[in-house]
Amino acid sequence: MCRNIKTLFNFEPPATEAEIQASALQFVRKLSGFNAPSQANEAAFARAVEEVADAARRLLTSLQTQAAPRDREIEAAKARERSAARFGPR
């Protein structure tokens, strides 16, 4: 899976527009196989990124949970610990 596609739901503070856009871009890159599309495919690529970002926004605003929001700093620390355990300290 692409590294920039991260869980965006139920965080405090909520996901930013930049995070949603970055995840949409990575998703479209993965599906298309293009890191950067050719000029012939640029419009379709950009349209797909916007459509995926719109769908992600709608999804995030419609989801509900009883769980307390997760803290970004705590989750980032956990991710660093998992990375260190997997790859060794950097």
Side-chain angles (χ1 to χ4, degrees), residues 10-22:
N10 198 28
F11 276 99
E12 190 57 47
T16 65
E17 183 59 32
E19 290 172 314
I20 293 170
Q21 202 66 25

Side-chain angles (χ1 to χ4, degrees), residues 3-78:
R3 286 182 291 252
N4 283 352
I5 299 177
K6 296 180 171 54
T7 301
L8 299 177
F9 176 63
N10 198 28
F11 276 99
E12 190 57 47
T16 65
E17 183 59 32
E19 290 172 314
I20 293 170
Q21 202 66 25
S23 290
L25 176 61
Q26 289 296 18
F27 183 74
V28 172
R29 283 177 174 170
K30 186 70 166 183
L31 287 177
S32 68
F34 299 137
N35 188 33
S38 66
Q39 284 184 334
N41 294 320
E42 195 170 6
F45 190 89
R47 185 174 53 251
V49 170
E50 279 308 309
E51 289 174 0
V52 169
D54 288 343
R57 269 186 232 97
R58 284 192 306 274
L59 174 66
L60 292 172
T61 58
S62 66
L63 293 174
Q64 298 177 13
T65 184
Q66 298 296 322
R70 293 176 285 185
D71 183 277
R72 290 180 180 281
E73 292 302 319
I74 292 171
E75 295 301 319
K78 289 179 186 177

